[in-house]
Amino acid sequence: MDRRELSDRYVNPYTDFGFKKLFGTEINKDLLISFINSLLHGKEVVKDLTYLNTEHLGTGEADRKAVFDVYCENEKGEKILVEMQRGEQQFFKDRSLYYATFPIREQGQKGEWNYKLKAVYVIGILNFTFDEQSDDFYHHEVKLMDTRSKEVFYDKLTFIYLEMPKFNKSEEELNGMFEKWLFVLRNLSRLMERPKALQERIFTKLFEAAEIAKFTKTEYDNYEESLKIYRDWKNTIDTAELKGEKKGFKKGEKSGIEKGRKEGAKKKAIEMAQSLKAKGVAISIIAECSGLSEEEINSL
């Protein structure tokens, strides 16, 4: 690699290059296995993974295709789709459901088939929040459920969403592999050394794989390009949000002035009506002069 000034020691996992280097390569698949097992809390143990083609076409030539970040299957043939959602999309839940249809349909068999399916897991690492009701609930596990009994209706389709901006635990607060993995994803590009809390062997491999100084020249150039795209995209999003805030403020300010003006006019109209009514002026005339209804004037 060329000698260049590096501001970060470790790769940014939110870049396309960084995410796929850590989780989308055969040489680092044990990182992905550890991460997935930490998510499932021991309910499903993944012993081995096979990477599958990430580009998928619809059933017809005119159908929209889908390109996954990471797509694999475990030793039981269950499909696991992992997506890094770098920014909020208007229909991101719809997108997750649409993507889930590919590993489901691909299990279809020609000829006689009883429709038995392998489980499908869709894991979304979200660099945004969608649940505004809770500031600290960041791990969502979604299955098809019977709304009356509240029991899982179908346990072979699971959506797991991680709202990363909500995970703000410090190194000292980490408890278990799940929280350690979230800490790594949330803070990796900001770290200058491996935290003492992450002493497991799997994190030794992760920090070695993530160290930018060990990249080949080609890897470094690809990462720089990926990082540039990520920064440009983030700047675009931040600018749009700032403009939205300013627009909302101006709209609110204008709305407030208009509301104040209307309230002031209504107060003057009431005062006028009260004065005329005290002088015995007919209600119909007061209504015409003040703009108030006869019902409003009678109630004064």
Side-chain angles (χ1 to χ4, degrees), residues 91-123:
F91 302 109
F92 95 90
K93 293 179 184 178
D94 301 68
R95 183 178 186 270
S96 292
L97 187 62
Y98 175 71
Y99 271 33
T101 64
F102 287 87
I104 293 174
R105 287 182 296 171
E106 288 171 357
Q107 297 184 53
Q109 301 175 16
K110 293 182 179 180
E112 293 187 7
W113 177 46
N114 61 5
Y115 289 95
K116 184 177 181 180
L117 297 170
K118 299 289 186 179
V120 173
Y121 297 89
V122 179
I123 300 171

Side-chain angles (χ1 to χ4, degrees), residues 8-14 18 22-23 181-195 198 203 206-211:
D8 301 326
R9 182 175 181 182
Y10 299 110
V11 71
N12 186 334
Y14 289 98
L22 296 178
F23 297 114
W181 269 110
L182 293 193
F183 180 84
V184 167
L185 288 173
R186 186 84 163 88
N187 300 288
L188 183 59
S189 63
R190 295 193 289 264
L191 298 174
M192 292 309 294
E193 60 182 15
R194 177 182 172 183
L198 307 180
F203 293 119
L206 178 134
F207 280 94
E208 288 178 354
E211 193 164 356

Side-chain angles (χ1 to χ4, degrees), residues 13-51:
Y14 289 98
T15 62
D16 184 65
F17 175 88
F19 185 74
K20 289 180 179 176
K21 178 172 178 59
L22 296 178
F23 297 114
T25 59
E26 184 70 26
I27 194 172
N28 289 329
K29 74 176 181 179
D30 48 342
L31 301 181
L32 181 61
I33 291 173
S34 175
F35 173 63
I36 293 173
N37 281 335
S38 76
L39 285 182
L40 299 174
H41 299 300
K43 289 184 289 185
E44 297 286 344
V45 178
V46 179
K47 296 179 181 178
D48 194 19
L49 288 175
T50 301
Y51 286 100

